Amino acid sequence: MPQDLRSLDAFTDTQRLIVVAAHPDDLETMCGGTIYQLAQRGVEIFSVNCTLGDIGAQDASLNRPTLAAGRLQETDNAAQRLGIRQTFNLGRPDGELLPDLALRAEIARLYRLTQADTLFTFDPFWTGQIHPDHRAAGQAALDAYMPSKMPLYQPAQLNEQGAGLGCLERVFVFSTDRDPNVVVDVTAVYPKKIAATIAHKTQFPEGEANLDWLKEIDHRIGERIGVTYAEQFRQIDVW
Amino acid sequence: MPQDLRSLDAFTDTQRLIVVAAHPDDLETMCGGTIYQLAQRGVEIFSVNCTLGDIGAQDASLNRPTLAAGRLQETDNAAQRLGIRQTFNLGRPDGELLPDLALRAEIARLYRLTQADTLFTFDPFWTGQIHPDHRAAGQAALDAYMPSKMPLYQPAQLNEQGAGLGCLERVFVFSTDRDPNVVVDVTAVYPKKIAATIAHKTQFPEGEANLDWLKEIDHRIGERIGVTYAEQFRQIDVW
Amino acid sequence: MPQDLRSLDAFTDTQRLIVVAAHPDDLETMCGGTIYQLAQRGVEIFSVNCTLGDIGAQDASLNRPTLAAGRLQETDNAAQRLGIRQTFNLGRPDGELLPDLALRAEIARLYRLTQADTLFTFDPFWTGQIHPDHRAAGQAALDAYMPSKMPLYQPAQLNEQGAGLGCLERVFVFSTDRDPNVVVDVTAVYPKKIAATIAHKTQFPEGEANLDWLKEIDHRIGERIGVTYAEQFRQIDVW
Amino acid sequence: MPQDLRSLDAFTDTQRLIVVAAHPDDLETMCGGTIYQLAQRGVEIFSVNCTLGDIGAQDASLNRPTLAAGRLQETDNAAQRLGIRQTFNLGRPDGELLPDLALRAEIARLYRLTQADTLFTFDPFWTGQIHPDHRAAGQAALDAYMPSKMPLYQPAQLNEQGAGLGCLERVFVFSTDRDPNVVVDVTAVYPKKIAATIAHKTQFPEGEANLDWLKEIDHRIGERIGVTYAEQFRQIDVW
Amino acid sequence: MPQDLRSLDAFTDTQRLIVVAAHPDDLETMCGGTIYQLAQRGVEIFSVNCTLGDIGAQDASLNRPTLAAGRLQETDNAAQRLGIRQTFNLGRPDGELLPDLALRAEIARLYRLTQADTLFTFDPFWTGQIHPDHRAAGQAALDAYMPSKMPLYQPAQLNEQGAGLGCLERVFVFSTDRDPNVVVDVTAVYPKKIAATIAHKTQFPEGEANLDWLKEIDHRIGERIGVTYAEQFRQIDVW
Amino acid sequence: MPQDLRSLDAFTDTQRLIVVAAHPDDLETMCGGTIYQLAQRGVEIFSVNCTLGDIGAQDASLNRPTLAAGRLQETDNAAQRLGIRQTFNLGRPDGELLPDLALRAEIARLYRLTQADTLFTFDPFWTGQIHPDHRAAGQAALDAYMPSKMPLYQPAQLNEQGAGLGCLERVFVFSTDRDPNVVVDVTAVYPKKIAATIAHKTQFPEGEANLDWLKEIDHRIGERIGVTYAEQFRQIDVW
């Protein structure tokens, strides 16, 4: 393994981890294997999807609320397989996510409510990111980091039961072209990742047969550290 | 009957009627009896609900897309009972409808697509209207009237199959404190109105037993013209 | 007193009253005498100002935050004189208040948090209202009424300590051209109204000497019921 | 003439008059005869059109900037015929005017720059107003009244050469269902009104032959005061 | 020629090409030589300018609609010289382009309507891009890529005659600091590029004499592949 | 000193310098030493803070206008210590700065009013920038560059006394990961930088004792050119 690459030990101090993604199934495909292992170690995992994923179908005769309702159920099924403690969906329309102040505030609220110490999200600065929702989710997640720690920002959020000032200490981005500095071997738990991913039946109606592309990506990452499958992250400096 | 009040004959020239409402069940309660009779006479009826009605529940454990999906189905069930030709739902979130330019354009599109000659909608100027969605739906419906007739407004809409310039000639508002000038006897078809209304099971889980308030309103209107049940409208001048 | 006019007895069932105004000093001038009497009777009064009142000066060399800070202090001074339990300021810039969804949500939050049963606000439909902030405050206050009662609207608000579903039962508007149906004799407590009003020193630097216009208005209302000073309201139907 | 109706004498103190309309040709049709007479008396007239009028054509093959450019020229031609000192066009797209804060600020700027003491505009509260642009122009014009007088509102505007605090003292609305309290006999100057109106050639390509509707309206108003043609206004109270 | 650089052969499979730019003359200066050659080979070219270019003048006495109308005409003149099949202008104001959802939708509509397989646009991620409109046009063009392929996104667009799901397969950006991977020799057609560029007379009133800067840029690119003039692109990965 | 690094001589031609930052104290910490030296040389310095810095406190009991008022005063105190000629605060709420068109216009106005030839601002493209306000301030500052030079953009701004077309010639960004090409030795004036920074008492209540982090950063930069303390910039190409 290259010298400065870390593995799961990058998360040694993590007790509560929040993942901010755009669509149901983003978490599973991007970092499902890492999440499963962290949950097994006792980390509390919170999953946030900003959109309902409600244009995620090639069948034009579907109506969007029905698709959304199905995907919320799939999200919970997948979460159960990975050991995720709680899922949140912010209800934004798919394909039209914007990193606006309202989204920032809703994400900051979840930082405060979950008291997460670690964040996973999309790298909003990846110049190869062709999906605007991915960029928007990552941007809003980073933008919420700083204000969530300040008591005069959206103070009503602090009145909710269990809420406190934001206390994120570590931020990791995925879907990035920055050099990854964390690569996690997910070979042993790969069946778990697959199982969670195919819980999204509307997206992968033929199950594992729909996931060759994912295996190929994860395999290519694995080669970096000499294993079959891996997931990678870039930890960024925050202050 | 007071001298200048008209009845169903106010709609003698109506061939295609569009109703712009805010929530599933607005059309049924406001003018279901009139709609049924017009449909029976061969008028083509188009129903537009601007919102999904997705906060329309007292059960906080429901998720909104699931409620929305159910209400879309209920809308179609009710439409079938009334003989409505086609229903549209503009997908806005319930309780937060705004009469913005996007909504105006979507409604104008439907005026152009349906080639409706007559509009029913909420009176946005009723000072007693406490539901902001009702006001917003009515305002957007009136605001779309004029631009829909102008070819340089949203010209791409005119490329859709069957679309033409807006051709509304008659506008009637309900939920108004302006003096009504049309009152329609709906006594004979009242069971149809009730049946369509209770098709909205999420709203009226106990069926007709939930509708005493509606009967009282319709009865009070009926008294104006000496019948058991009636619905009332104000036709407004347009140019 | 004209037959159908009510006086303070209109508020017999009121236990918690919320006043939604636009600027510091609106409450005091519009209904300070009524508020004082209700507070004396044990009604809990909550005061909401939507804007900071931070253009409320003729001295162009002032900076707006300094003016705002002063007016917050004046608001509290006035509230103390009237027996108001709690004041809220929503921090919007003066002269630019809009009845947008964010304002609606913040007001709905306060309905839920205070559990007010009665609302006082500006009539947004008064065609003579030349101050846009007054119209906006009243509109947002009315628009928040309905959603505040629905659990799926802004559900996070319901997690705050002490919050519950909105439970407003009575709505009274002031600054209206609708026929008033409540006129309250404030003669006996007029010195209290004056004292609270002149607590806004930035607005009335010469104290009572600046209030001839107010006395004239209140006197004209008083004449309706044969007293020296009165304040008037229109209770509107809500459902 | 009914007792409390005033005529041109309502404008005795007017020295600088600003008219805020929505489209080129609104001023001419609504009050061209009054404007001409006031200009003749030495009143400085400023004309503001909020939109470019750039959907004002039935020919779908036109492009909007070309139509707009033509209408700007027509506006100036008409202004010359009426003796208007200066015309402003705020460049908003036709059919989509909103009374937003930016429009309010631009209108306030013109109140400050022209130092107008009198305003003419559409009544935004007319419940029969079917054109949304008319309502928006009137609303923004009224909303700008109060802030324009306050030095901390948009203070940079006060740095422009010749600008001062807003000093409107009189506000008159047209296109209203409030009882008119000013009716101006325009019979003697009607040819001037017609000439100014048909300067808008894109709108009235056949000249006076296109204006039977206007003559009918103005004649109906004239009958109120026993003349052939008149224009009417409602002066509203401002403070 | 450096080994991995491709030339016109990068576009071998291109049949319908859409160029999304910000202002009239962007296409011509950025890639006019390449466009001309592709048109000659039978590729159907569609040109989209997001803004009217209506602040593109140093003469403050011009009015914007007149400038815009002129530039639309210049766009068509230039298009004719290059063999472009159709031009679209989205009518946004120059200097204020934002990559908002409305712009995204309008661009997606054109992907669907033209059935383009290849996209040229500005690189929105170039950190040296000082013109905000260029960044906005490129961002909106990339953001529209993904949704245009999904049937539940803006489904009304699919009803227009000739429209189908977006089918872009190749995306090339210009104005970029990413390593170019396509450099096209435009020496032989350079007079065509110059002729098309100077069709924008408002921008280059002295014709070719105004284009030394352009020749210098194109010459510097040419040096990379040992020719007099060239244009360069970065093909980015899409999925 | 590395060969292509420039020092204060990078600003030889600078006569009027404008710094666009997000919060009071950004200027002082980012480039206070450089600013002081330039002011000493006779450069006119203009400081722009986009936000009020009004969430900049850990004490939840503070109200925001009071904090803002204090920070405006601190800004002026610090400016006096550095020899800054004029400070501007754009009044935006802290933690919620957006690079919208209104902000762009306000900054362009200041470019025109100050006739600055040189700009300092945050690099909006730094992928490590975790504070959204910093990114927004830098983005708006760069976005305003081009339009400020064009007479048809916001032409009313040009009417203000002393205003002219924007004439920025040089742009330097700080807080960047682009290779710095200007590093300024601030060792000799470091006490001035410290004094200006601790003028922000609300932020650094213990004075210099709160600034170890700043010294460390400046020292690390200093090491690049072999001095104790330095500040660094990246000049970017503009056209």
Side-chain angles (χ1 to χ4, degrees), chain C residues 23-25 51-75 89 92-95 199-205, chain D residues 150-153, chain F residues 52 63-70 72:
Chain C
H23 313 97
D25 83 6
T51 82
L52 291 164
D54 56 339
I55 63 169
Q58 287 302 319
D59 177 356
S61 70
L62 275 173
N63 71 53
R64 293 177 61 162
T66 300
L67 178 55
R71 297 196 73 176
L72 288 175
Q73 184 57 59
E74 291 171 356
T75 303
N89 189 296
R92 292 298 193 289
D94 189 6
H200 296 278
K201 291 187 184 169
T202 56
Q203 306 308 297
F204 311 110
Chain D
M150 309 182 79
L152 297 175
Y153 175 77
Chain F
L52 292 163
N63 71 54
R64 293 177 61 163
T66 301
L67 178 55
L72 288 176

Side-chain angles (χ1 to χ4, degrees), chain A residues 54-60 62 64 67 95-98 126-133 135, chain E residues 99 101 104 125 139 142-143 145-147 149-154 165 171 178 236-239:
Chain A
D54 56 338
I55 62 169
Q58 288 303 317
D59 177 356
L62 274 173
R64 292 178 61 163
L67 178 55
E96 298 191 311
L97 188 64
L98 293 180
W126 178 31
T127 61
Q129 181 55 269
I130 197 72
H131 201 313
D133 291 349
R135 226 180 309 113
Chain E
L101 295 181
R104 184 187 299 179
F125 299 106
Q139 190 67 71
L142 295 189
D143 288 353
Y145 167 87
M146 185 71 75
K149 294 171 178 274
M150 308 182 79
L152 296 176
Y153 174 77
Q154 301 282 351
L165 280 183
V171 175
R178 309 194 214 189
I236 62 173
D237 288 333
V238 289
W239 68 89

